[in-house]
Amino acid sequence: MSKRILITGGSGFIGSRLVNGWLAEGYEIAVLTRRPDWVVKRWAGRVMAVNDLYQLVGPFDWLVNLAGEGIADQRWSHSRKQALRESRIGVTNRLAEWAIQTGRRFDVVASGSAIGVYGALSGTAAQQTVAETSPAGEDFAAQLCADWEQAAHPLFALSRRSLILRTGVVLGEQGGMLKRLWTPFSLGLGGRIGSGKQYLSWIHIEDYLAALNHLLASEAEGIVNMTAPEAVTNRDFTRVLATCLKRPALLPMPAAVARIVFGEMADLLLKGQRVLPLQLQEQAFSYRYTTLSEALASIGRNWTHYRQV
């Protein structure tokens, strides 16, 4: 059955691939964006793009809210923190205001968050697993995610079913964290960060897309950790990526240097969370990539393809 979908963040690393897949299914897509002309041109007029929600006409079956500036794209100055909050919480607040004022109702609302909500963990705590029922942390990233989730609650009251997507590090070619790491590691300039014992909870982009579509089509609701079944340490991630690229990884970044270079944001690199995706496992979601080596090998093949095209 065809769906009518409103998405925020539809031109981003994850959102654009969702739009491509939904268009292939024959769904009708509307994208909330600051660059509507660019989005319309990108998809050759096959999507509706607006920068004002009140331009939208008619009902929507699904609302997928993924808007948000990249949390690791810049050092966390005061103005950058404000931009991170506005791009998530501000957009979600505006969605709720529009939906309430126009009397919208949805079959499903899926709103973004991140595993950062559990806090940047270190020491013994970092070795323990966290799941959907684990408490929120207290650092900036955790508060950002908690406030983002809270902002979506008025939208949940307008939907038959709601999902909070606590996303881990999404791995894929041409975007996300790997876009920053691929070149230095390809040149043999990569290495572990800090002790290397901190955990990285990841998911392949194809599994993320499949998992979200699985959730939207099911009767699942509530909080979902969008990660692969097994987290890896930073040391293991470094080793597997270097092996995939057939390059050494001999340039570690000490914790003190990371804090000088990245400031408060260094906690994202030096600490981590060992996250379990219990909800996806209970929903019997079938992962395509359950090991990091399989995921990176697939991405490496695709990356080579993109460079040749």
Side-chain angles (χ1 to χ4, degrees):
M1 181 182 296
S2 182
K3 300 292 183 184
R4 197 162 189 260
I5 306 168
L6 171 59
I7 181 172
T8 71
S11 60
F13 172 50
I14 296 172
S16 60
R17 299 185 188 216
L18 284 170
V19 171
N20 288 338
W22 291 335
L23 288 173
E25 293 291 330
Y27 295 170
E28 185 178 346
I29 315 297
V31 179
L32 177 66
T33 175
R34 291 172 294 182
R35 300 185 294 168
D37 292 341
W38 182 88
V39 169
V40 169
K41 182 178 180 180
R42 174 174 183 172
W43 278 289
R46 292 185 296 156
V47 303
M48 177 190 303
V50 300
N51 59 10
D52 180 357
L53 287 163
Y54 293 91
Q55 295 174 317
L56 296 171
V57 177
F60 291 93
D61 300 294
W62 297 345
L63 168 58
V64 179
N65 177 31
L66 301 179
E69 296 276 349
I71 197 163
D73 286 353
Q74 298 179 29
R75 191 184 182 98
W76 287 353
S77 63
H78 175 74
S79 60
R80 182 59 182 172
K81 286 183 176 181
Q82 289 300 110
L84 292 173
R85 290 185 62 85
E86 171 59 24
S87 65
R88 290 165 171 76
I89 301 159
V91 169
T92 305
N93 285 338
R94 289 194 291 277
L95 279 169
E97 179 182 351
W98 160 78
I100 292 169
Q101 289 185 356
T102 58
R104 305 285 171 148
R105 295 293 185 272
F106 309 95
D107 184 53
V108 185
V109 169
S111 195
S113 184
I115 60 172
V117 72
Y118 301 115
L121 305 176
S122 60
T124 303
Q127 305 304 308
Q128 299 174 353
T129 57
V130 295
E132 284 89 348
T133 56
S134 298
E138 298 179 353
D139 55 26
F140 169 74
Q143 191 61 56
L144 174 67
C145 292
D147 290 348
W148 190 11
E149 293 180 9
Q150 186 63 37
H153 281 205
L155 289 167
F156 298 158
L158 305 176
S159 63
R160 184 181 68 83
R161 192 162 53 87
S162 58
L163 297 161
I164 293 176
L165 309 171
R166 290 181 175 172
T167 300
V169 174
V170 181
L171 302 179
E173 65 281 355
Q174 308 305 310
M177 184 182 77
L178 279 183
K179 186 175 183 179
R180 287 173 157 247
L181 295 181
W182 204 263
T183 296
F185 269 78
S186 296
L187 297 173
L189 302 177
R192 64 173 171 79
I193 298 174
S195 70
K197 296 179 181 179
Q198 65 274 31
Y199 273 90
L200 176 76
S201 294
W202 60 277
I203 186 169
H204 191 289
I205 182 67
E206 291 182 17
D207 279 333
Y208 186 96
L209 303 176
L212 179 51
N213 282 310
H214 178 87
L215 292 167
L216 289 168
S218 72
E219 287 299 309
E221 56 186 329
I223 297 168
V224 185
N225 287 335
M226 302 290 281
T227 64
E230 294 289 339
V232 297
T233 64
N234 176 264
R235 185 187 300 274
D236 285 341
F237 178 85
T238 299
R239 175 183 55 80
V240 174
L241 179 55
T243 299
C244 175
L245 292 170
K246 299 180 174 61
R247 294 289 187 274
L250 304 176
L251 297 175
M253 179 181 290
V257 173
R259 295 195 184 281
I260 292 172
V261 173
F262 298 106
E264 184 181 353
M265 192 178 72
D267 279 347
L268 294 179
L269 306 173
L270 297 170
K271 302 178 182 180
Q273 305 93 6
R274 192 177 183 181
V275 177
L276 295 177
L278 295 186
Q279 173 84 293
L280 282 177
Q281 291 173 332
E282 289 171 2
Q283 291 295 323
F285 173 67
S286 179
Y287 289 88
R288 183 172 179 181
Y289 301 99
T290 57
T291 69
L292 182 66
S293 57
E294 292 172 329
L296 291 182
S298 165
I299 292 165
R301 290 190 295 271
N302 289 338
W303 213 295
T304 301
H305 169 74
Y306 274 97
R307 293 183 64 183
Q308 292 174 343
V309 172

